[in-house]
Amino acid sequence: ALAGQSRAARSLEGYAPAPVFLAVVNGVRRTSLTLGAADAACVERALRLGVRSELRTTGQPILLTAETRVEGALPPRETVEALTLRGLACPNVRSVTDTE
């Protein structure tokens, strides 16, 4: 556990959480967003892991699937994994079933 925490600390050196500007593309639907650092990390993790999810926004929720493309820079995998070890909470990204 200590080795994992140490690795997480090294991965987060120099990391400065900042808003992320991107577009989420599902087929022909393109949604431009500004996400907080935590929400961007949660989107990266959901897409990387292939977890069918929805991103709650001030408008309609945005479906995240294996076919979803993101235009813009999400945080790197190593950063997201380190944040996850540190207790990353994702209240705006939730997994959904095919029937939802």
Side-chain angles (χ1 to χ4, degrees), residues 1-77:
L2 289 176
Q5 288 294 333
S6 177
R7 225 177 3 262
R10 281 192 306 275
S11 293
L12 293 174
E13 286 177 5
Y15 171 67
V20 176
F21 307 98
L22 51 84
V24 177
V25 182
N26 284 313
V28 296
R29 184 175 180 209
R30 183 179 190 275
T31 308
S32 296
L33 300 167
T34 301
L35 297 178
D39 284 337
C42 295
V43 167
E44 188 282 336
R45 182 173 65 187
L47 292 174
R48 176 173 37 87
L49 297 177
V51 177
R52 184 178 172 88
S53 306
E54 71 177 13
L55 170 62
R56 296 180 192 172
T57 66
T58 55
Q60 286 200 337
I62 299 168
L63 190 61
L64 304 172
T65 69
E67 290 78 34
T68 300
R69 286 185 309 110
V70 173
E71 297 172 355
L74 289 170
R77 175 183 181 158

